[in-house]
């Protein structure tokens, strides 16, 4: 394998360490403990795993974790009342409503009812607009994690040709905004893009976020390019359940200069960035200096 492996697991541990240091300082110097509230509606098994993991890591870095588990048939009015209560609770600096929500709840309405300054997912329409206009905002966790890894590997990204494959609100679009903010020339490719292989072949940076197992083969990758694989797809191979990314890792690693593995690449960075966003929100709420290197 020619490519350098970008170790997201190790990088996430480093980010959590920085968050923990900042939390300790906030407690000692300011008497403030950052708090993250996570709201889970229903019993989706994958969401339960994520929420448990978020709660555990929140406590491990020294922050307060508040978990609110609501029945699957919770009414929209009850959910909005809980969010309103959390918006007005000074001990809560970050609020995350786990998605997807049960079908009878309007996700956009719910997300936009979170106070923007507590929206540690960066999904509120105000944060989307602030990011799009280059203003200070809360930045979605997965793209923020990708940006941190790219900055760490390259230093400056200025002038690089970046292709983001996927146009989701959660990853593709904010990722493109962040890369633009770091002065990349950015293309957003998607299922209707013509000549996708050629578009990808000119990229110095490829961020794959489509959710299709191994759809990007190695021969689309420019020699020496950096490949960030956001996909986490569970497939059956040789009778076993395995996790693979959106990029065919084995062939891409032959051509890339650097590449994130799946698992152990982008995945662990998402929760680390959620913790970073919570500390950032806490500092902003208290007019204190933000942690360096943990924001966009
Ligand atoms: N479900 C899957 N990923 C996410 C995420 O990043 N944030 C929220 N709120 N829900 C999710």
């Amino acid at each position: 394998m020619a490519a350098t492996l970008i170790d997201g697991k190790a990088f996430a541990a480093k980010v959590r360490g920085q968050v923990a240091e900042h939390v300790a300082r906030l407690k000692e110097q300011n008497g403030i403990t950052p708090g993250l509230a996570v709201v889970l509606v229903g019993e989706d098994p994958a969401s339960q795993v994520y929420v448990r993991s978020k709660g555990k890591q929140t406590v491990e870095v020294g922050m307060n974790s508040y978990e609110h588990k609501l029945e699957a048939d919770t009414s929209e009015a009850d959910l909005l009342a809980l969010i309103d209560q959390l918006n007005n609770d000074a001990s809560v600096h970050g609020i995350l409503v786990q998605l997807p929500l049960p079908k009878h709840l309007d996700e956009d309405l719910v997300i936009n009812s979170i106070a923007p300054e507590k929206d540690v997912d960066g999904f509120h329409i105000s944060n989307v607009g602030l990011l799009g206009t280059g203003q200070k905002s809360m930045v979605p966790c997965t793209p923020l994690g990708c940006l941190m890894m790219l900055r760490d590997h390259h230093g400056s990204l200025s002038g690089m040709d970046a292709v983001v494959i996927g146009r989701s609100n959660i990853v593709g679009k904010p990722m493109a905004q962040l890369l633009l903010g770091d002065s990349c020339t950015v293309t957003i490719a998607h299922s209707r893009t013509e000549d996708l292989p050629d578009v990808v072949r000119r990229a110095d940076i490829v961020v794959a976020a489509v959710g299709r197992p191994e759809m990007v083969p190695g021969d689309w990758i420019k020699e020496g390019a950096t490949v960030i694989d956001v996909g986490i797809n569970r497939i059956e191979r040789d009778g076993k359940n395995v996790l693979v990314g959106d990029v065919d890792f084995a062939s891409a690693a032959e051509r890339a200069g650097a590449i994130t593995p799946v698992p152990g690449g982008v995945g662990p960075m998402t929760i680390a960035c959620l913790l970073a966003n919570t500390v950032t929100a806490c500092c902003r709420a208290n007019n204190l200096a933000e942690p360096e290197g943990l924001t966009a």
Side-chain angles (χ1 to χ4, degrees):
M1 187 178 84
T4 300
L5 209 60
I6 300 179
D7 185 345
K9 201 173 161 196
F11 201 102
K14 187 173 137 194
V15 170
R16 287 196 302 274
Q18 288 172 281
V19 170
E21 272 177 31
H22 213 86
V23 169
R25 244 193 328 269
L26 282 168
K27 285 184 184 176
E28 272 172 38
Q29 297 178 3
N30 307 96
I32 300 166
T33 304
L36 172 63
V38 174
V39 180
L40 173 63
V41 186
E43 287 167 8
D44 177 67
S47 292
Q48 285 178 322
V49 172
Y50 282 131
V51 166
R52 209 173 306 130
S53 193
K54 284 168 189 166
K56 182 167 172 279
Q57 294 188 37
T58 301
V59 171
E60 278 170 3
V61 295
M63 304 199 290
N64 288 327
S65 168
Y66 308 103
E67 280 183 24
H68 295 268
K69 294 186 177 164
L70 307 182
E71 300 291 331
D73 62 356
T74 297
S75 71
E76 200 160 82
D78 284 351
L79 178 56
L80 294 178
L82 171 61
I83 292 172
D84 188 53
Q85 179 199 316
L86 297 171
N87 282 343
N88 290 298
D89 182 341
S91 66
V92 171
H93 303 96
I95 302 170
L96 179 146
V97 177
Q98 184 67 28
L99 303 178
L101 287 171
K103 292 276 175 288
H104 68 284
L105 299 169
D106 179 342
E107 267 182 16
D108 287 336
L109 179 74
V110 170
I111 294 304
N112 289 325
S113 72
I114 298 171
E117 64 276 14
K118 295 191 180 189
D119 167 38
V120 282
D121 259 330
F123 295 165
H124 190 290
I125 191 72
S126 294
N127 284 315
V128 175
L130 290 168
L131 177 62
T133 50
Q135 301 178 71
K136 191 186 268 194
S137 66
M138 297 307 303
V139 176
C141 304
T142 300
L144 178 58
C146 296
L147 183 75
M148 282 183 189
M149 292 194 286
L150 285 166
R151 283 179 176 169
D152 182 67
H153 185 73
H154 287 284
S156 168
L157 308 181
S158 181
M160 295 180 82
D161 198 324
V163 171
V164 179
I165 314 172
R167 53 177 156 178
S168 71
N169 291 335
I170 293 180
V171 184
K173 286 180 202 159
M175 186 76 247
Q177 297 286 6
L178 289 171
L179 291 166
L180 197 56
D182 272 27
S183 300
C184 292
T185 302
V186 184
T187 303
I188 305 178
H190 47 78
S191 54
R192 301 290 175 88
T193 297
E194 288 187 13
D195 302 324
L196 182 59
D198 284 341
V199 170
V200 176
R201 270 186 199 115
R202 56 165 203 258
D204 304 309
I205 293 170
V206 180
V207 180
V210 265
R212 285 180 53 193
E214 299 174 330
M215 74 154 280
V216 179
D219 69 359
W220 291 11
I221 303 297
K222 179 161 114 178
E223 231 15 271
T226 299
V227 178
I228 305 290
D229 191 350
V230 181
I232 302 178
N233 309 289
R234 200 172 289 279
I235 63 161
E236 199 180 304
R237 175 166 290 154
D238 305 327
K240 286 185 195 150
N241 272 324
V242 293
L243 288 182
V244 299
D246 291 347
V247 176
D248 177 41
F249 181 83
S251 60
E254 294 295 323
R255 293 169 65 96
I259 186 167
T260 58
V262 176
V266 175
M269 287 298 288
T270 298
I271 297 183
C273 287
L274 173 68
L275 305 176
N277 276 350
T278 305
V279 174
T280 299
C282 178
C283 292
R284 287 180 187 170
N286 291 284
N287 287 319
L288 297 167
E290 292 175 23
E292 273 183 32
L294 296 180
T295 51

